[in-house]
Amino acid sequence: MTTPATPRPPVNLDWSTLGFSYIRTDERYLSHWRGGQWDSGQLTLDNVLHISEGSTALHYGQQCFEGLKAYRAADGSVNLFRPDQNAARMQESCRRVLMPEVSTEQFIDACRQVVRANDHWIPPYGTGGALYLRPYVIGVGDNIGVRSAPEFLFGVFAIPVGAYFKGGLTPHNFITSGYDRAAPHGTGAAKVGGNYAASLLPGFEAKERHFADAIYLDPATHTKIEEVGAANFFAITKDGQTFVTPKSPSILPSITKYSLLHLAEHRLGLKVVEGDVYIDRLGEYSEAGACGTAAVITPIGGIQHGDRFHVFHSETQVGPVTRRLYDELTGIQFGDRPAPEGWLVKV
């Protein structure tokens, strides 16, 4: 059972300059797993976790997380975008690293509570910003052996965010990495922190060379594109008729990507393909992009691979299909365009 949050004064933020960085908001949600079940959870003002020094999350990476957004619509209401899909993906991640699953009902209820409690932190309609939610599950409790934790925490906190990459919907350039993001048959399809820790060095090296981030090739052969930094990859064929995205068991199943697959087929009338995207055949595509909850869509201007730099539509202008996909998706998220059934949950 949740109760409406008490109205609070407006937040003194310049919504137009929001980036993607931590901002402490008022309340967050915590639930404990003990004795074989999750408790009912509660909101707290404390943004510091108090956990055992032996927690498996600290030593063995037993943890996972999610990312989703709450959007202010023109009528003042608030939309959560496909939270049931985030709940399902977190359940898959929990199973992969042997943690208890959080039910879809508890997951969505926790997100709703956090959004209501931090309603005044939601960027106003028309600013392009949103309230980013970060649910997570971590293994805690006194432990030292390599085993599943005796206790767990499920939490959700929220921060107001703008564009993930500076400049918003503008093309960025990327460079392929010789590092692997995840191992074959490993944890690549789970949203666990170890995958992201592995990406820090290649991401840093890419930025040192003035690229937005690294592109990871398939770990088995290093011939096919898998992911773009912390986002999924897509491309549009030269004839503008087909939406293509990589398929691999080590790719994180992006909710944004699968939403775009649906919209490309059912709203734009494109053919959609999940398959191999070979790094030496980029000339087959006229547009490309990175997609995910944080970035939404980031157009890819060009990709550096070895000594070759391939430019797609433009290094400065957004391609027409990418623009249409972005407008359709964000229009749905903010409530300006009709949503497929079940995609929006009102807070």
Side-chain angles (χ1 to χ4, degrees):
M1 180 67 68
T2 60
T3 57
T6 302
R8 296 177 181 175
V11 173
N12 185 24
L13 280 179
D14 182 354
W15 303 111
S16 65
T17 60
L18 274 180
F20 196 87
S21 59
Y22 182 83
I23 296 173
R24 180 174 177 173
T25 52
D26 295 328
E27 299 187 56
R28 64 275 308 137
Y29 174 97
L30 277 180
S31 175
H32 290 77
W33 187 92
R34 299 187 182 98
Q37 64 181 1
W38 292 104
D39 65 22
S40 57
Q42 63 180 357
L43 294 175
T44 175
L45 297 172
D46 190 358
N47 73 329
V48 178
L49 296 179
H50 304 268
I51 63 174
S52 169
E53 62 188 354
S55 294
T56 58
L58 299 176
H59 302 279
Y60 308 123
Q62 192 181 31
Q63 58 85 253
C64 68
F65 68 98
E66 274 299 321
L68 66 158
K69 289 177 179 176
Y71 302 84
R72 180 78 70 189
D75 63 4
S77 64
V78 179
N79 298 325
L80 284 174
F81 182 72
R82 308 193 76 180
D84 59 322
Q85 298 302 300
N86 290 96
R89 188 170 64 180
M90 176 170 270
Q91 290 156 9
E92 291 281 354
S93 296
C94 284
R95 286 193 287 272
R96 180 62 181 83
V97 292
L98 207 59
M99 298 194 296
E101 297 173 30
V102 177
S103 71
T104 301
E105 294 72 22
Q106 183 173 7
F107 183 97
I108 294 177
D109 177 64
C111 291
R112 276 178 154 156
Q113 288 191 51
V114 171
V115 172
R116 288 169 178 161
N118 297 287
D119 179 86
H120 54 303
W121 289 95
I122 303 174
Y125 173 81
T127 63
L131 189 71
Y132 180 82
L133 302 179
R134 171 55 61 83
Y136 59 90
V137 177
I138 61 173
V140 297
D142 295 331
N143 179 73
I144 197 62
V146 183
R147 61 175 69 89
S148 187
E151 300 176 11
F152 297 87
L153 283 178
F154 164 52
V156 183
F157 66 90
I159 57 172
V161 298
Y164 185 79
F165 290 110
K166 291 181 179 179
L169 192 68
T170 57
H172 288 72
N173 296 330
F174 296 81
I175 184 171
T176 58
S177 175
Y179 293 99
D180 292 330
R181 172 186 162 271
H185 312 294
T187 59
K191 199 167 176 66
V192 295
N195 297 337
Y196 295 82
S199 74
L200 293 177
L201 178 60
F204 173 80
E205 291 182 352
K207 293 176 179 67
E208 284 282 286
R209 295 184 61 180
H210 306 291
F211 291 93
D213 211 332
I215 286 182
Y216 300 100
L217 305 179
D218 70 293
T221 70
H222 286 192
T223 62
K224 297 173 283 189
I225 290 178
E226 289 218 331
E227 295 212 358
V228 185
N232 278 193
F233 176 88
F234 73 87
I236 308 300
T237 53
K238 278 284 191 181
D239 61 7
Q241 299 300 307
T242 305
F243 178 102
V244 181
T245 188
K247 186 175 181 63
S248 163
S250 57
I251 292 175
L252 182 74
S254 166
I255 293 157
T256 302
K257 179 185 77 174
Y258 284 108
S259 300
L260 291 174
L261 276 166
H262 177 91
L263 296 175
E265 181 177 10
H266 297 282
R267 297 280 174 94
L268 274 63
L270 303 179
K271 179 182 178 182
V272 296
V273 174
E274 286 186 88
D276 293 334
V277 178
Y278 288 95
I279 190 63
D280 62 354
R281 290 163 57 179
L282 297 181
E284 297 177 2
Y285 308 104
S286 60
E287 300 177 41
C291 59
T293 297
V296 188
I297 292 178
T298 297
I300 296 177
I303 294 176
Q304 182 78 42
H305 178 59
D307 296 330
R308 184 184 177 210
F309 182 68
H310 177 84
V311 177
F312 292 97
H313 177 75
S314 167
E315 289 186 75
T316 58
Q317 301 297 317
V318 182
V321 178
T322 301
R323 168 65 72 177
R324 289 178 65 195
L325 286 168
Y326 177 85
D327 289 345
E328 194 69 33
L329 178 61
T330 56
I332 290 169
Q333 291 169 334
F334 285 102
D336 297 327
R337 300 194 182 191
E341 185 176 356
W343 278 27
L344 296 183
V345 172
K346 286 291 184 183
V347 176

